[in-house]
Amino acid sequence: DTEVTQTPKHLVMGMTNKKSLKCEQHMGHRAMYWYKQKAKKPPELMFVYSYEKLSINESVPSRFSPECPNSSLLNLHLHALQPEDSALYLCASSQEGTYNEQFFGPGTRLTVL
Amino acid sequence: AQSVTQLGSHVSVSEGALVLLRCNYSSSVPPYLFWYVQYPNQGLQLLLKYTSAATLVKGINGFEAEFKKSETSFHLTKPSAHMSDAAEYFCAVSRATGASKIIFGSGTRLSIRP
């Protein structure tokens, strides 16, 4: 299985809602990533997990809360988001000890009303 | 610090013509370089990667890229464009192995004229 899956595909939420994005991979990768991508822009790194521990936080607002329950799963918990947080959220994974070749999921299209 | 510059935010070619997407990098250490493609409303797919094994790298869908250290370039080419090649292309650089940040270029949108 060489796939990264993400659910849901689309999400619409209000500014007072709490929701979660989920990402899963079964490639045995021990590094997982969250990116945010606005229209016509490259992906922006948000968080990196290595061996289930948070290793990079790119100064992301606390209304985004990542979680890595095990080596195959990555969650992004959302609370009190703003309309400007509307974007495509991409998950990726990579094998430790390689050239940091990252495999991306299809993304979750998030709209904050 | 590392950086990537993609020349041309939009490139348009005729079907069957040569595709050339330009990428220049800046890195203080030997880099690892990647080209990703993104179709509308989809994630990124790796086209090819340079990891210092060979300067001419062949990827999927008939694409290839050549690493030129003297020019700090890693341009992406395809001899004959197909309509299905229309997408956004990102060049990216990493200097480290393992879990670390990769730096993306700003992207080039490729359009194919019938």
Side-chain angles (χ1 to χ4, degrees), chain B residues 16-112:
Chain B
L18 171 72
V19 174
L20 171 61
L21 304 183
R22 299 176 188 274
C23 173
N24 288 88
Y25 71 90
S26 171
S27 177
S28 57
V29 297
Y32 302 124
L33 293 159
F34 310 90
W35 275 101
Y36 284 90
V37 61
Q38 186 175 32
Y39 299 100
N41 298 312
Q42 293 188 29
L44 278 68
Q45 181 182 12
L46 183 70
L47 277 177
L48 49 79
K49 62 181 183 283
Y50 167 75
T51 58
S52 75
T55 56
L56 183 61
V57 181
K58 293 190 185 299
I60 62 171
N61 302 340
F63 284 94
E64 64 180 37
E66 186 172 7
F67 174 73
K68 292 188 176 180
K69 185 177 179 181
S70 60
E71 299 176 10
T72 60
S73 69
F74 189 57
H75 301 332
L76 182 70
T77 60
K78 182 174 180 178
S80 176
H82 291 182
M83 296 300 291
S84 60
D85 294 327
E88 189 82 21
Y89 292 79
F90 294 99
C91 182
V93 63
S94 170
R95 68 173 183 174
T97 60
S100 60
K101 188 171 182 174
I102 62 174
I103 309 297
F104 286 93
S106 55
T108 298
R109 181 165 61 92
L110 176 64
S111 300
I112 311 296

Side-chain angles (χ1 to χ4, degrees), chain A residues 96-111:
Chain A
E96 282 284 5
T98 64
Y99 319 106
N100 202 10
E101 173 184 345
Q102 296 182 17
F103 293 78
F104 284 80
T108 293
R109 175 74 59 190
L110 173 67
T111 303

